[in-house]
Amino acid sequence: MSCINRRDLALLALRAGTGAVLMAHGTQKLFGWFGGGGLDKTAAAMEHMGFTPGRQSALAAGLGETGGGALLVLGLATPAAGAAAAGAMAGAVSVHAPAGFFAQAGGFEYPAFLGFTAAAIGLAGAGRYSLDHATGHTFDQRWMLALAFTASAVSAAAVVTKRARGQRAGGGERGGEGEAA
């Protein structure tokens, strides 16, 4: 097996694993699957964590995780998929950051890992065993890469900044509980 095939198989495995975890996590938020709260409970948790409006925040996080994860698994529109998932994870990192790095103390280790992994896949591309490759990279162009990551970074920065301002105005830190990542 050539190095190119090994890299492509590794990308497939990484996409499948990361995408499946993100999809499962997102469907907890959207549908209450796998022990999740569903959209209504997630919306209330988002409001409590300082993401307003809560329903739109829950929907955006759930779609970023579920949609981004599904596209990563398929290897379709990989730059947009990686950027969307990374942007969703940036919000989760902001919730967990006050608890430090390590997940066992409630820190941001897990959402940061998912976000960085999704971003890396988006930057690297899906590889040969993907729908991007099968479609001649129709949804995987260089300009799409720049647009997707720029839009995701700007959106995530706006959401996290709005949350931080709301917390300062509200007089304290909320977060670290509920469905953040």
Side-chain angles (χ1 to χ4, degrees):
M1 182 177 298
S2 74
C3 288
I4 293 174
N5 286 338
R6 286 177 44 200
R7 281 190 209 105
D8 291 327
L9 281 173
L11 282 168
L12 173 61
L14 189 59
R15 284 190 355 252
T18 302
V21 169
L22 285 162
M23 285 173 48
H25 207 65
T27 59
Q28 286 182 308
K29 289 176 176 64
L30 295 175
F31 310 118
W33 295 356
F34 310 111
L39 195 54
D40 290 337
K41 288 183 181 175
T42 302
M46 292 292 232
E47 285 275 349
H48 181 74
M49 289 181 276
F51 293 102
T52 58
R55 187 165 186 83
Q56 287 88 338
S57 298
L59 190 59
L63 288 174
E65 293 170 6
T66 305
L71 290 171
L72 286 175
V73 168
L74 296 170
L76 181 63
T78 306
M89 291 296 98
V93 166
S94 75
V95 171
H96 291 277
F101 178 73
F102 292 103
Q104 75 186 60
F108 64 92
E109 172 185 18
Y110 178 66
F113 182 76
L114 284 176
F116 281 121
T117 303
I121 296 167
L123 290 169
R128 182 178 300 169
Y129 309 117
S130 67
L131 288 180
D132 277 341
H133 182 77
T135 60
H137 298 280
T138 302
F139 302 106
D140 182 14
Q141 303 290 317
R142 284 184 187 211
W143 67 268
M144 291 176 190
L145 179 84
L147 179 64
F149 276 91
T150 299
S152 180
V154 168
S155 298
V159 167
V160 169
T161 300
K162 180 182 175 189
R163 175 180 179 262
R165 285 185 183 145
Q167 287 183 316
R168 283 193 300 273
E173 274 296 316
R174 292 182 290 193
E177 53 193 80
E179 295 185 37

